[in-house]
Amino acid sequence: MTELLPKPRSVVAGSGEVRLTAHSQIYAGTAAEGVGHWLCTVLRQATGLPLREGRELDDTDGDGIGLQIDSELAPEEYRLVSDPTGVLIEGGSAAGVFWGAQALRQLLGPDAYRRAPIGRDRAWAVPYVTIEDSPRFRWRGLMLDVARHFMPKDGVLRYLDLMAAHKLNVFHFHLTDDQGWRLEIERYPKLTEIGSWRARTKFGHRASPLWEEKPHGGYYTQDDIREIVAYAAERHISVVPEIDIPGHSQAAIAAYPELGNTDVIDTTSLTVWDTWGISKNVLAPTDNALRFYEGVLEEVLDLFPADAGEFSSFVHIGGDECEKDQWRRSPTAQQRIEALGLADEDELQSWFIRHFDNWLTARGRRLIGWDEILQGGLAPGAAVSSWRGYQGGITAARAGHDVVMCPEQQVYLDHRQHDGADEPVPIGYVRTLEDVYRFEPVPPELTPEEARHVLGAQANVWTEVMEDPARVDYQTFPRLAAFAEVAWSSLPAPAERDFADFEHRMTAHYGRLDALGVAYRPPAGPRPWQRRPGVLGRPIDGPPPIV
């Protein structure tokens, strides 16, 4: 079982195997105890073996597992050696040991991903092998949109496990949008009392005539969030919350109408939006709105502490797709533009973003936003999610800002996977498994110095047309496996990548996904119950532009 994914830097196979038995022990050295507890838990569940915790590495007696730190390795680097003395995993930090433990789980076979043993006579063995491995990128992210369709807490925890199994380490948590506010804020209870529910939901693309005529919603309590953050930290995943401002804010305005442009429209008549697209109802550029969101962010900073992972100091503030029509018609907005000496409404949006950039920086945190936030300039520590293509990331890197590459045309997993008629609710360009595998996060236009600002890459899962977790699984997998290899492994140039080898390793990986209960898209196409006949999508023909 050496069909590993993501592909390691070096694999040297030996002859023989380490058999786990009722006498096997797991030893975790100093600073690796958390990984030892995690590994004991998942392997006891899957194998039914007691897997006691040994006191010394020598206690393994040739049939056990040792976990320890090697300070000469890079933080996320690991070395796994399976030989007649047992299995030893060494990492440059606990994170490195954890990624090595994920490789070990793959070596044990797909049934190692089950939550209970399926047969008493099953032999559990690790082939003799030496693996040396480390990630190409520090930021290996997945963005999950829970605002358009809510995913209950257990589903979020499950996705953290799926991320960990693929060596992904940043969970971008899209918590607010026009269609729902998903985070309890004690200071402002109406955000969830009113803003977390909508009366009905558009089914399919916004041009579809179909509606799901029942309320949809939900939110995470503050204790839910604390649990999610702790669960992620145990798996060496940083959680980056997103609170959208100043656009994508209709749910917040529905809960607190004074946040909107009250001198232009009757904001008290607004409800949580029930369709898709870009709402014209945006925050008013008032001191009241600034103070309100400062209050929100004070609680966000408490719920998402900066020391819970390498990238947990980041807070994502959206900053994208802010419609300016109401500001153009608003005397209040126009007075603010004049008082600040701004040129237009675009600079007013930049003022909004810079306010929270400075606010977060003063509290030791880092702002990250979609690439529209580049307009008007950023504080030195701010970072950019480049979504409209590569250009925003190129501009940011050249200006000295860190960048996460997540171009819509390449790694938006809501885009369709095939051009077949059976593809459910087809959105956007065709992005096959191979297309994602050939995604390159670093544009060739960047110099080596500029390229150092590319922290990594992220796949984004927008859920407008994903009405339940099974649809999320279908759109996300197996393409997330290809993305994970792009983000982790040092691959050749896109055209030179060995996709046939990746497909071969995927044959084993499908078994792991089956054991994990993932409702992925099969290579041959959607199963009958995965189709959505008659539900309108928005397919775009031809190859996506490289912009």
Side-chain angles (χ1 to χ4, degrees), residues 23-27 54 56-66 85-87:
H23 303 290
S24 295
Q25 300 183 71
I26 293 179
Y27 165 82
E56 300 290 341
L57 191 57
D58 291 342
D59 288 351
T60 58
D61 201 26
D63 64 354
I65 301 166
T85 66
V87 178

Side-chain angles (χ1 to χ4, degrees), residues 466-547:
M466 302 179 207
E467 71 278 6
D468 56 40
R471 278 287 289 130
V472 176
D473 277 7
Y474 179 91
Q475 291 298 134
T476 305
F477 290 96
R479 292 182 297 180
L480 191 66
F483 171 82
E485 182 147 313
V486 168
W488 177 278
S489 306
S490 294
L491 300 176
E496 299 169 8
R497 293 176 187 171
D498 190 348
F499 182 67
D501 172 70
F502 176 78
E503 278 192 306
H504 170 72
R505 286 180 287 117
M506 276 300 301
T507 59
H509 199 65
Y510 285 119
R512 300 173 192 133
L513 296 179
D514 286 333
L516 286 162
V518 177
Y520 58 85
R521 182 191 189 276
R527 295 181 172 95
W529 56 87
Q530 292 175 320
R531 301 168 188 164
R532 297 291 185 273
V535 181
L536 186 66
R538 186 182 62 91
I540 304 175
D541 293 330
I546 305 299
V547 294

Side-chain angles (χ1 to χ4, degrees), residues 1-8 38-39 42-43 78 80 89 98-113 122 124-127 129 131 133 162-167 481 484-485 505-506 508-513 516:
M1 292 301 298
T2 56
E3 296 91 348
L4 301 176
L5 195 152
K7 189 173 186 176
W38 174 86
L39 188 61
V42 296
L43 293 188
Y78 71 88
L80 185 155
I89 299 172
F98 184 72
W99 304 131
Q102 293 293 346
L104 171 67
R105 201 177 183 192
Q106 291 195 8
L107 291 170
L108 286 166
D111 288 341
Y113 290 85
R122 167 67 194 269
W124 295 94
V126 182
V129 67
I131 300 172
D133 200 10
L162 292 173
M163 289 178 64
H166 292 82
K167 297 187 172 72
E485 182 147 313
R505 286 180 287 117
M506 276 300 301
H509 199 65
Y510 285 119
R512 300 173 192 133
L513 296 179
L516 286 162

